[in-house]
Structure formats: structure tokens, C-alpha cells
């Protein structure tokens, strides 16, 4: 398979941001009399016309249930769904030994992994008493709480690979934690609360060599730095559509076929069975066995359109653009008296989180909204990490391909103004 994500020796071309912004109708509006500066992309990105049109075309012409009908619309809908699967498999570098399962998002995918590894009864579960699960200390709650539950349910031990005081993970720390009892290692490709980008490639390889199943949360990477499965020692990878210019309620669980076959299905019912009797049933082959019930076919079509859109714009160009915006924001925010930026070293990030002395982030966020600037405030579903860093809730600005340097300047000016008002 051609590696569509390998960086080239020449710099990425600059984005024509003005032209790209015309593809996002939501950006045309004003908020409180100001042009919208949408800087909450780590939570949800917006959808371009190409995605909206793809979903509209499906719903208007091909909408039907899939895999079960002989009529024309059902066959067309099935073709659309499976074509979307193929597009996304190419997007992430999935090979012949991988499978791609549609989910409602990263959270469902990670729960499917964690619960699927211990359900199924004695002799079938991957996790048993005395086993160890290592989870990085950078994780979103969705890649922590399911593992807490799995450990409690099985008698396994949950071990946290803790970051240092600046929020960095160290490969040497993981090496010390790995043992013959390690059964699972879970890590993010990018911390949603700080922007930290761990050396996940090396960490996944070490854990895999130790005999563990490896799990990668790629939710924050899919829009600008999607991991290439063909190059990773990765058994499971999850990401969401709404963080990569696609529809809400869509996502992917991708991974090695042998690893996915270990998962006990969580959704039992239609289309995930080979046969059913009154007292027993047999599961269908992958990926159907993990896709019980009527799927979000229109959402899958939209998600594939989002992947095509990203590839057409160019991952390297998007990555370069958001890194530049982040660097500009870090420099401007750090220059404001009393403001502390979290993980300023994380230059590969598309987001910046900060705290202001004696000012609550909710108040900052409210005053920024009055100037048409949308940011996120709070713990960002990563409270253990924020507590570990000793910072309390933060304000987070996060960037996408349609954001501009002028919007970053507006952010810095608005934060400066807000702090003058609030202090």
C-alpha cells in the first residue's frame, strides 16, 4: 500500500486558508456582533461542503438498511457503506491483516476494546487476576475509565505511566513498568488537555515486544497527523469523525484482525450473527460481529468524505499550519502577565492550554465568547492529568485548517482584555 502520510524532504505547501474557509458555511456567522473565531476544534471540528453534500446525497437517494435487502436502494446503501470503509482503511494505512469497524466515536471504540477483552466467560477473557494494564497518564477519561472498570472486573492491576512535572512521557519509564504480566498498554497519540505528543511509536513497539496488546487513541491526531497503521506495532486504534471535519456520532475502531477477534461483542442482535437458535448463537466474521444493529450509514459516508477532504488539502500542509498557529498562540499568551501555558514544549500540537493567576477559566471563556471567540474551559475530560500537573482547570484554544493568524491575534488581545476586567 502506498504510504500517503510519509513526510517529504520538501516543506509542505502553504494552505490557502481564505479559500478553504469558504467551504465551511458555519464560519460565515457573527457571534455577539463579532465574526466567529472558532477555536474549539479539539472538541469538535466543523464540516466542509464536501462532507455535507456527500451525506445529503446519500440521505436523498440511497437511504436504506444495508446487508439485508435485495432491492436496489439496499444494495446501493451497502455499496456506499463498504466503499466508505475502504476509503478510511486507506486513510489510516490499514493493510490486509487489519479490519476496520465503524463506531459512534472514540469513546465507544475504547469501551469495545476494554470490555471486549474481559467479557466472554472463563477461558475466553484476555484479562485475568494478576494481569497488568498500563495506561498513560495523559489520557482522556475515555481511555482511562474503561481500563479502571476492566481491572476491577477481572482482578487485573491498573498501572499508570505517569508523566513528569511538565507533562512529558518517557520511554525509559515505560520500560521499567513492562513485565511478563503486562497484558495491555494504552496511550494517546496526542493529549487533548495539553497537546503533548508522546513517542507512541516506540512505546507501542516496546509493549508489543513484551507481549501486550496495544491501544492507541488517535482522536486528536486524525485531523492533521493521523497515525499510519502499517508502520505501527498497534493492535487497536480509535478515532472520531467529529474531530476530523466529519459528522458527530461516527468513528472507527481499526486494528489487527487477530486482536479484534479476541473481543467479545458488546452489541448483540441484528447483522452480527452467523446463525441463531433459541438457546444459542454464533457470531459473524469481522467486521460484522462488532457492528450489531443498524449502523449510521450516512455518517460513514460523511466520515469517508472527510478523509478524502483531508487528503486533498494535504496532511503535511494542515500539520504545518496548525503547528504555526499554536506557536503563535504560545508566544502571545506566555507574554501576558500572570498567564502560564501548559506544555509549551509540545510544538507538534494543534492546541494550547493555559491558566491565569487568580482568574477562573470559565470567566475567561465567557468574556471571549462576548467577542465572538469560541474556546473550551475546564478539565477537558482529563482531570487526573490536570491534577497531576497541579494547574486546576484551564482555558484551551485549539486550531484547525480554517483558522488564521488574525484569529490568534484576536485570542491574545481578548485574553489580555479579559484579565484586565477580571482582576
Amino acid at each position: 500500500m502506498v504510504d500517503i502520510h510519509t513526510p517529504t524532504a520538501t516543506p509542505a505547501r502553504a494552505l490557502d486558508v481564505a479559500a478553504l474557509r469558504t467551504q465551511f458555511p458555519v464560519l460565515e456567522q457573527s457571534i455577539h456582533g463579532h465574526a466567529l473565531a472558532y477555536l474549539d476544534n479539539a472538541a469538535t471540528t466543523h464540516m466542509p461542503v464536501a462532507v455535507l453534500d456527500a451525506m445529503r446525497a446519500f440521505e436523498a437517494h440511497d437511504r436504506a438498511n444495508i446487508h439485508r435487502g435485495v432491492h436496489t436502494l439496499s444494495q446501493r446503501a451497502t455499496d456506499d457503506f463498504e466503499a466508505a470503509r475502504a476509503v478510511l482503511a486507506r486513510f489510516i494505512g490499514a493493510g490486509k491483516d487489519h479490519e476496520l469497524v465503524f463506531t459512534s466515536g472514540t469513546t465507544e471504540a475504547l469501551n469495545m476494546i476494554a470490555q471486549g477483552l474481559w467479557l466472554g466467560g472463563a477461558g475466553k477473557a484476555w484479562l485475568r487476576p494478576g494481569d497488568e494494564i498500563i495506561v498513560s497518564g495523559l489520557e482522556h477519561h475515555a481511555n482511562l475509565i474503561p481500563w479502571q472498570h476492566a481491572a476491577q472486573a477481572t482482578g487485573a492491576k491498573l498501572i499508570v505511566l505517569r508523566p513528569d512535572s511538565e507533562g512529558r512521557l518517557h520511554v525509559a519509564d515505560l520500560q521499567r513498568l513492562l513485565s511478563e504480566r503486562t497484558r495491555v498498554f494504552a496511550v494517546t497519540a496526542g493529549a487533548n488537555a495539553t497537546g503533548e505528543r508522546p513517542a507512541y511509536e516506540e512505546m507501542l513497539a516496546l509493549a508489543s515486544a513484551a507481549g501486550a496488546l496495544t491501544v492507541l487513541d488517535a482522536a486528536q491526531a486524525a485531523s492533521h497527523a493521523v497515525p499510519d497503521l502499517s508502520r505501527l506495532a498497534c493492535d487497536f486504534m480509535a478515532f472520531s469523525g467529529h474531530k476530523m471535519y466529519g459528522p458527530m456520532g461516527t468513528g472507527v475502531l481499526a486494528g489487527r484482525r487477530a486482536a479484534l477477534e479476541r473481543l467479545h461483542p458488546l452489541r448483540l442482535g441484528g447483522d452480527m450473527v452467523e446463525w441463531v437458535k433459541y438457546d444459542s448463537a454464533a457470531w459473524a466474521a469481522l467486521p460484522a460481529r462488532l457492528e450489531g444493529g443498524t449502523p449510521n450509514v450516512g455518517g460513514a459516508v460523511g466520515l469517508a468524505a472527510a478523509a478524502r477532504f483531508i487528503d486533498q488539502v494535504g496532511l503535511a500542509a494542515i500539520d504545518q499550519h496548525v503547528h504555526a498557529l499554536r506557536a503563535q498562540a504560545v508566544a502571545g499568551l506566555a507574554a501576558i502577565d500572570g498567564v502560564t501555558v501548559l506544555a509549551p514544549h509540545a510544538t507538534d500540537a494543534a492546541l494550547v492550554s493555559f491558566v491565569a493567576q487568580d482568574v477562573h477559566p470559565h470567566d475567561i471563556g465567557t468574556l471571549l465568547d462576548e467577542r465572538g471567540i469560541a474556546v473550551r474551559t475546564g478539565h477537558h475530560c482529563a482531570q487526573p492529568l490536570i491534577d497531576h500537573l497541579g494547574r486546576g482547570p484551564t482555558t484551551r484554544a485549539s486550531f484547525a485548517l480554517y483558522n488564521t493568524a488574525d484569529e490568534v491575534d484576536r485570542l491574545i488581545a481578548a485574553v489580555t482584555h479579559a484579565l484586565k476586567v477580571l482582576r
Side-chain angles (χ1 to χ4, degrees), residues 51-74:
V51 174
L52 297 170
D53 285 349
M55 295 173 67
R56 186 180 300 111
F58 170 81
E59 300 294 351
H61 300 287
D62 292 352
R63 178 181 170 91
N65 219 317
I66 62 170
H67 294 155
R68 309 172 194 174
V70 296
H71 61 81
T72 298
L73 263 62
S74 178

Side-chain angles (χ1 to χ4, degrees), residues 57-409:
F58 170 81
E59 300 294 351
H61 300 287
D62 292 352
R63 178 181 170 91
N65 219 317
I66 62 170
H67 294 155
R68 309 172 194 174
V70 296
H71 61 81
T72 298
L73 263 62
S74 178
Q75 293 177 5
R76 290 203 313 235
T78 298
D79 290 344
D80 293 339
F81 189 66
E82 296 304 332
R85 194 192 307 276
V87 167
L88 289 159
R90 289 192 296 271
F91 180 67
I92 61 174
K96 60 182 179 60
D97 295 327
H98 294 100
E99 291 279 0
L100 188 143
V101 177
F102 283 109
T103 70
S104 64
T106 305
T107 296
E108 183 188 23
L110 294 170
N111 276 271
M112 288 171 67
I113 302 165
Q115 295 183 47
L117 288 177
W118 64 265
L119 290 173
K124 297 181 180 180
W126 177 254
L127 293 170
R128 300 180 179 86
D131 288 344
E132 294 178 351
I133 304 166
I134 300 177
V135 177
S136 108
L138 301 180
E139 302 309 306
H140 187 285
H141 296 165
N143 204 21
L144 172 62
I145 297 174
W147 299 114
Q148 292 176 346
H149 184 53
Q152 294 163 2
T154 63
K157 181 181 180 181
L158 182 68
I159 299 173
V160 177
L161 172 61
R162 295 186 182 274
D164 65 20
S165 60
E166 295 183 329
R168 292 183 173 97
L169 291 183
H170 296 282
V171 173
D173 292 338
L174 175 61
Q175 288 177 312
R176 285 190 288 270
L177 293 178
L178 290 168
S179 75
E180 68 278 0
R181 295 185 298 278
T182 306
R183 299 288 275 174
V184 173
F185 171 61
V187 67
T188 182
N192 77 300
T194 65
E196 177 69 17
R197 195 277 196 197
Y200 64 81
E201 300 94 337
E202 188 175 356
M203 291 181 175
L204 293 171
L206 285 171
S208 181
L213 290 176
T214 55
V215 182
L216 183 65
D217 175 357
Q220 290 299 327
S223 67
H224 65 101
V226 61
D228 182 351
L229 272 181
S230 70
R231 295 172 175 265
L232 295 176
C234 183
D235 291 301
F236 304 103
M237 185 171 80
F239 59 93
S240 298
H242 70 280
K243 296 182 189 294
M244 52 171 284
Y245 313 106
M248 292 180 173
T250 64
V252 162
L253 166 58
R256 301 188 191 281
R257 187 175 297 111
L260 289 166
E261 286 175 344
R262 293 186 180 278
L263 301 184
H264 190 281
L266 300 190
R267 292 181 293 175
L268 309 179
D271 216 33
M272 52 77 60
V273 290
E274 183 67 27
W275 53 259
V276 181
K277 298 181 180 180
Y278 277 123
D279 58 357
S280 59
W283 312 142
L286 289 168
R289 64 181 294 173
L290 298 178
E291 292 182 341
T294 299
N296 182 358
V297 183
V301 169
L303 183 50
R308 289 193 295 268
F309 175 79
I310 291 171
D311 275 339
Q312 288 166 3
V313 175
L315 270 167
I318 299 170
D319 205 36
Q320 177 177 282
H321 178 70
V322 296
H323 291 174
L325 295 177
R326 201 263 183 179
Q328 178 188 351
V330 168
L333 291 167
I336 301 173
D337 183 49
V339 169
T340 300
V341 174
L342 277 65
H345 59 272
T347 56
D348 290 338
L351 62 91
V352 57
S353 289
F354 64 94
V355 293
Q357 186 177 4
D358 300 326
V359 179
H360 198 283
H362 290 352
D363 295 328
I364 296 173
T366 298
L367 292 184
L368 263 57
D369 180 66
E370 290 181 358
R371 293 190 167 204
I373 303 169
V375 296
R376 179 71 46 165
T377 61
H379 290 93
H380 317 296
C381 296
Q383 186 170 357
L385 172 59
I386 298 297
D387 289 347
H388 172 78
L389 296 175
R391 293 300 182 184
T394 75
T395 303
R396 183 186 72 189
S398 48
F399 310 107
L401 60 83
Y402 41 66
N403 290 126
T404 67
D406 177 66
E407 289 177 327
V408 175
D409 286 340

